[in-house]
């Protein structure tokens, strides 16, 4: 299973092509659109989300809600394009308007300009923008349909916003409630602190990042591999999460805490239980030796604060070589809820890839049968 994405933030549309889906898989288009709406939600979002109402338009690969086994091509139209056509049209446009040379620290602007020989960071930021993640959410939501057919579920919540942190541990069944909350947090007190922090950062023209936890529930053991490093499930999941804009670190299970504890407090002991095996702890986060072990897969990722600050950080104007404050027209103060649903999506897609590689199957019934036969 493979995903290719294309599209600029203020271009005509974002597009994606998924190859490798089995035939006869039911695509829940309403669920995809719900995930797209979740990506646009959350306390602290900026003006762009008032313009867009992201919806998937499936162009090929699905007939009467069922996949055909052919490439599934889809688009998410940028409503803002009508305001940008004169500066973005592929057919010809004014490239002297809406230029950006007061490059933003922490964004792709400066390094991208140097690498791709551009004098206008517009030609970099249009693609580097996190708007591209709408495609990955749609694709991940389709991957969730595939996983759901096997009884595998994906969930998550926000643990921390700019230092306001929830250190509780929750069962998988508690996570769905987070989506009803303004910051996808499960601890009301911490969430209130986080909202107050966002309000005050907004006043100061500043931004926030945070920490998200993602869980995969119901995946049988043996997905991934201990034989080749490229197939290790933890390596693939970490790569997928790190591939999301603004992610600076990923943990599996207790993650970095494992470096602070002795082995006796880290490794999950194994017990026999009526012909099967159980563990009473899940410090490994559901992955041992690069393979799923049947426990919940637990991932945490840290999102850096958004690099477009309304107050502008110190930088250099590449057009003049003079010091200045960085560009900042409009910005999200926090996009941690978007980050949560994006990370769920890329994790779902990665798990679906690992399942499809192991089980194959041209038709979804074949996949379900093979999955059911696994012990
Ligand atoms: C985003 C759309 C963008 C930004 C943000 C995410 O819209 P615009 O640039 O028109 O305001 O709000 O993108 C960035 C964080 C970025 O650095 O470009 C979206 O749809 O998620």
């Amino acid at each position: 299973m493979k995903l290719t994405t294309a599209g600029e933030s203020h271009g005509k549309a974002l597009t994606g092509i998924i190859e490798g889906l089995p035939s006869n898989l039911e695509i829940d288009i309403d669920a995809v659109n719900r995930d797209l709406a979740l990506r646009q939600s959350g306390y602290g979002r900026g003006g762009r989300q008032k313009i867009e109402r992201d919806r998937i338009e499936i162009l090929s690969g699905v007939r009467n809600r069922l996949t055909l086994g052919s490439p599934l091509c889809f688009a998410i139209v940028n409503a803002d394009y009508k305001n940008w056509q004169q500066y973005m049209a592929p057919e010809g446009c004014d490239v002297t308007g809406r230029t950006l040379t007061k490059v933003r620290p922490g964004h792709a602007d400066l390094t991208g300009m140097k690498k791709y020989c551009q004098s206008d960071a517009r030609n970099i930021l249009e693609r580097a923008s996190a708007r591209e993640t709408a495609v990955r959410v749609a694709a991940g939501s389709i991957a969730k349909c595939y996983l759901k057919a096997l009884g595998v579920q994906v969930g998550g919540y926000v643990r921390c916003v700019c230092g306001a942190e929830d250190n509780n541990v929750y069962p998988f069944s508690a996570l769905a409630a987070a989506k009803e909350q303004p910051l996808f947090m499960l601890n009301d007190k911490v969430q209130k602190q986080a909202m107050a922090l966002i309000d005050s950062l907004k006043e100061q023209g500043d931004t926030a990042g945070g920490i998200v936890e993602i869980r995969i529930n119901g995946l049988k053991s043996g997905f991934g591999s201990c034989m080749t490093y490229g197939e290790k499930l933890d390596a693939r999941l970490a790569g997928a999460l790190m591939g999301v804009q603004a992610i600076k670190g990923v943990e599996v299970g207790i993650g970095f805490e494992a470096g602070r504890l002795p082995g006796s407090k880290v490794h999950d002991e194994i017990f026999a239980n009526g012909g099967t095996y159980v563990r009473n702890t899940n410090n490994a986060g559901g992955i041992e030796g690069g393979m799923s072990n049947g426990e919940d897969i637990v991932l945490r990722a840290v999102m850096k604060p958004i690099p477009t600050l309304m107050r502008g950080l110190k930088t250099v104007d590449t057009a003049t070589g003079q010091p200045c404050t960085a560009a900042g027209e409009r910005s999200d103060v926090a996009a941690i809820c978007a980050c949560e649903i994006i990370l769920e999506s890329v994790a779902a897609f990665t798990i679906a890839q690992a399942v499809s590689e192991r089980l194959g199957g041209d038709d979804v019934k074949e996949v379900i049968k093979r999955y059911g036969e696994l012990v």
Side-chain angles (χ1 to χ4, degrees):
M1 207 179 286
K2 184 183 156 200
L3 169 69
T4 303
T5 79
E8 278 78 42
S9 180
H10 303 98
K12 291 184 190 182
L14 304 163
T15 51
I17 299 180
I18 306 171
E19 289 173 64
L21 284 168
S23 63
N24 293 313
L25 172 69
E26 182 162 357
I27 303 300
D28 186 344
I29 296 174
D30 295 336
V32 176
N33 285 328
R34 270 200 303 279
D35 277 354
L36 286 171
L38 285 173
R39 197 200 71 92
Q40 294 194 269
S41 72
Y43 199 73
R45 293 312 299 269
R48 178 71 183 270
Q49 304 315 324
K50 294 192 183 85
I51 299 171
E52 304 294 343
R53 197 176 156 75
D54 292 342
R55 295 187 74 77
I56 189 170
E57 189 182 342
I58 297 180
L59 303 172
S60 72
V62 177
R63 184 166 183 230
N64 194 28
R65 291 182 168 251
L66 297 181
T67 54
L68 297 168
S70 55
L72 192 162
C73 178
F74 63 91
I76 299 162
V77 167
N78 285 323
D80 209 11
Y81 180 65
K82 62 179 184 307
N83 306 316
W84 284 79
Q85 190 167 0
Q86 57 178 313
Y87 309 111
M88 289 298 292
E91 299 80 9
C93 63
D94 171 14
V95 291
T96 61
R98 308 304 297 248
T99 58
L100 192 148
T101 55
K102 294 174 177 169
V103 290
R104 294 161 296 173
H107 212 288
D109 299 346
L110 179 60
T111 309
M113 284 167 85
K114 283 163 69 182
K115 178 175 167 68
Y116 294 100
C117 297
Q118 299 288 359
S119 55
D120 179 5
R122 173 72 45 207
N123 290 335
I124 303 303
L125 72 94
E126 282 291 333
R127 181 64 185 158
S129 166
R131 176 131 188 87
E132 179 266 349
T133 57
V135 180
R136 284 190 274 170
V137 168
S141 199
I142 289 167
K144 284 181 191 171
C145 298
Y146 176 91
L147 295 176
K148 194 175 165 198
L150 308 176
V152 178
Q153 290 178 284
V154 185
Y157 66 103
V158 172
R159 279 181 71 82
C160 172
V161 177
C162 201
E165 187 153 9
D166 174 9
N167 289 310
N168 291 337
V169 176
Y170 299 97
F172 183 80
S173 57
L175 305 186
K179 300 291 191 307
E180 314 291 326
Q181 296 299 321
L183 276 172
F184 293 6
M185 293 186 105
L186 291 166
N187 181 321
D188 205 41
K189 192 168 156 227
V190 177
Q191 181 165 257
K192 285 201 175 92
Q193 283 167 10
M195 287 166 79
L197 261 168
I198 289 174
D199 291 343
S200 113
L201 289 168
K202 187 175 182 179
E203 250 170 54
Q204 296 159 46
D206 214 332
T207 57
I211 298 171
V212 164
E213 181 171 309
I214 302 298
R215 286 243 222 117
I216 295 120
N217 173 265
L219 182 68
K220 291 190 176 183
S221 71
F223 292 94
S225 174
C226 60
M227 300 299 175
T228 46
Y229 65 85
E231 286 175 88
K232 283 167 67 86
L233 194 60
D234 40 6
R236 293 179 70 170
L237 284 165
L241 267 57
M242 286 295 292
V244 172
Q245 287 85 335
I247 299 302
K248 295 301 260 184
V250 175
E251 291 183 316
V252 181
I254 60 167
F256 279 39
E257 192 57 20
R260 299 183 192 105
L261 297 170
S264 57
K265 296 219 159 36
V266 169
H267 300 296
D268 306 305
E269 292 183 306
I270 302 168
F271 303 92
N273 181 25
T276 180
Y277 305 98
V278 291
R279 297 164 179 83
N280 295 332
T281 52
N282 185 21
N283 293 339
I287 301 181
E288 286 172 306
M291 300 168 290
S292 60
N293 67 3
E295 303 290 331
D296 268 14
I297 293 182
V298 183
L299 307 163
R300 287 186 188 161
V302 58
M303 179 193 194
K304 71 182 180 186
I306 289 171
T308 312
L309 275 67
M310 294 310 285
R311 67 190 258 192
L313 296 173
K314 289 192 190 92
T315 188
V316 176
D317 187 335
T318 58
T320 62
Q322 295 303 309
C324 64
T325 51
E329 296 154 33
R330 71 178 169 207
S331 173
D332 301 317
V333 179
I336 194 73
C337 294
C339 182
E340 192 282 329
I341 195 76
I342 297 160
L343 296 180
E344 266 189 33
S345 307
V346 299
F349 199 86
T350 306
I351 298 290
Q353 280 177 313
V355 172
S356 105
E357 280 161 29
R358 185 174 181 207
L359 301 183
D362 298 312
D363 174 82
V364 74
K365 285 186 286 305
E366 220 172 328
V367 183
I368 294 168
K369 183 170 172 286
R370 289 177 190 173
Y371 189 77
E373 283 163 3
L374 295 174
V375 282

